[in-house]
Amino acid sequence: MPTALVTGAAGFIGSNLVESLLDRGYDVRGIDNLETGRARNVERLQSEADYTFREGDIRDADVMAEITAGADYVFHQAAVPSVPRSVEDPVTTTDANCTGTATVIDAARNADVDTVVVASSSSVYGSTEQLPKVETMDSRPESPYALSKYYTENLTLQASDFYDIDTVALRYFNIFGPHQDPEGEYAAVIPKFIDLMLDGERPVIYGDGEQSRDFTFVENVIQANILAAEGDVSGEMFNAACGGRVTINELVETLNNLLGTDIEPEYDDPRPGDVRHSHADISKARELLGYEPTVDFSEGLERTISFYQDE
Ligand code: NAD
């Protein structure tokens, strides 16, 4: 079976990906420096016979060379992921995401891996009049984080011109699901709101709540990653999303319905760097990768709520 390296393996998407690759019979290696990842995401998988986790930094070229040697695929998920955090602290975001990606790519080409799949972000599009967002549109990164992801995907795609490796970039649109960190200032909206509302607390919406997102259950992007690695497409970027659009007000309403609560959100000022609407056209991924989302927003939300209730 193939050997895969997952960077950011203690993170939300990385740890879900490790689990799915192990289920498919892969030998899996993971690396993470626990900057934003959760120790419990390492602990829950550590006893798997075909899994080796290493605590380390993707910017460390020696560590990356060691852990990448012999890998067939690299799934590069490690990053400092938040838009507001990048506005507060652009240096950490840029260093981890840009220098980190360059180090990952360099290790991959020296180790002769087949394919590198990298996590990019819908934030690279920025706020656009045109919806849904399609891969041919101009990029307008509006935050240090979005810029770092623009760099990540372009550096990766270029690498297939220079070196003998295949590369694919996936622009994720608001991914949610089990094992996402609900705590802290920079937590993503779905786990944060579920966590608060399960405790009967009011969630805070930044802005009027009419901003929208293409919320995508994590299983769908795992499918996109595996199709991208195992397929024969290279040098291409794809939207990885559901192709729908839900406002933050609708999210709270749906959570109230599913939880049987009647909690009113609080409203605060909009956050700098946040885009207004995010909605993906997923035709390119459908056509070239054979991607088809299998878990829609409602089912994903139910599964996520039940995970946090158990946790
Ligand atoms: P996460 O914070 O749960 O995972 C990122 C992981 O990277 C963390 O475990 C963190 O400790 C690790 N990391 C950070 N810097 C590192 C370094 N220098 N060396 C080693 N490990 C490092 O976030 P996530 O939501 O799982 O995001 C995974 C990827 O998907 C990221 O690249 C993120 O930018 C991208 N993405 C996520 C979303 C989303 O909605 N969750 C949307 C768009 C893009």
Side-chain angles (χ1 to χ4, degrees):
M1 276 314 270
T3 297
L5 168 64
V6 178
T7 71
F12 155 52
I13 298 170
S15 65
N16 277 292
L17 183 57
V18 168
E19 208 169 342
S20 294
L21 292 169
L22 289 168
D23 286 347
R24 287 172 76 87
Y26 276 63
D27 283 326
V28 186
R29 303 166 189 173
I31 181 166
D32 202 296
N33 68 352
L34 300 177
E35 169 86 26
T36 59
R38 305 171 96 191
R40 68 178 75 174
N41 285 341
V42 178
E43 284 149 18
R44 78 188 159 86
L45 296 166
Q46 223 161 16
S47 59
E48 299 284 342
D50 296 328
Y51 183 46
T52 314
F53 176 78
R54 174 148 180 183
E55 188 172 338
D57 198 302
I58 55 163
R59 289 164 292 187
D60 185 328
D62 293 337
V63 168
M64 283 312 298
E66 260 175 50
I67 197 161
T68 313
D72 300 292
Y73 305 127
V74 175
F75 296 93
H76 177 34
Q77 309 298 311
V80 173
S82 148
V83 167
R85 180 172 172 179
S86 78
V87 175
E88 285 303 314
D89 178 7
V91 176
T92 301
T93 298
T94 305
D95 196 26
N97 300 5
C98 298
T99 308
T101 298
T103 314
V104 169
I105 296 294
D106 204 39
R109 62 119 171 187
N110 288 327
D112 256 340
V113 306
D114 285 348
T115 308
V116 181
V117 185
V118 295
S120 183
S121 160
S122 58
S123 63
V124 175
Y125 286 112
S127 296
T128 58
E129 291 288 313
Q130 188 190 326
L131 291 173
K133 300 181 185 196
V134 63
E135 291 86 344
T136 47
M137 284 166 65
D138 285 345
S139 302
R140 289 190 194 157
E142 290 168 6
S143 64
Y145 170 72
L147 265 177
S148 75
K149 285 289 158 180
Y150 180 74
Y151 175 89
T152 294
E153 66 179 41
N154 282 289
L155 187 88
T156 304
L157 298 181
Q158 272 180 12
S160 62
D161 295 335
F162 302 141
Y163 316 122
D164 189 22
I165 49 174
D166 289 345
T167 58
V168 176
L170 299 174
R171 278 192 187 170
Y172 297 167
F173 281 65
N174 291 81
I175 315 306
F176 71 98
H179 307 294
Q180 191 166 20
D181 194 348
E183 276 155 27
E185 197 184 342
Y186 302 120
V189 60
I190 288 186
K192 190 177 188 168
F193 282 16
I194 293 175
D195 196 46
L196 288 168
M197 290 171 75
L198 280 174
D199 286 343
E201 290 176 40
R202 296 174 67 187
V204 177
I205 293 179
Y206 299 106
D208 63 5
E210 287 306 298
Q211 65 270 42
S212 61
R213 296 291 180 263
D214 192 337
F215 289 113
T216 302
F217 190 66
V218 64
E219 237 174 72
N220 299 317
V221 291
I222 284 167
Q223 181 206 141
N225 270 279
I226 293 171
L227 289 167
E230 293 181 352
D232 53 12
V233 170
S234 182
E236 296 282 350
M237 177 271 284
F238 298 91
N239 290 338
C242 259
R245 186 149 82 93
V246 175
T247 68
I248 306 301
N249 287 328
E250 286 167 344
L251 168 66
V252 172
E253 196 184 314
T254 313
L255 286 173
N256 269 322
N257 289 339
L258 292 171
L259 293 168
T261 51
D262 190 15
I263 298 172
E264 282 288 320
E266 290 177 51
Y267 290 87
D268 204 341
D269 292 338
R271 291 186 308 189
D274 275 349
V275 303
R276 182 73 179 159
H277 297 297
S278 200
H279 177 197
D281 181 323
I282 54 173
S283 327
K284 183 178 175 188
R286 278 193 167 119
E287 276 164 33
L288 297 187
L289 296 177
Y291 166 75
E292 194 57 54
T294 51
V295 183
D296 67 13
F297 172 67
S298 313
E299 187 193 336
L301 212 49
E302 280 178 46
R303 284 165 65 173
T304 307
I305 288 172
S306 92
F307 168 80
Y308 287 106
Q309 278 169 330
D310 292 347
E311 199 183 47

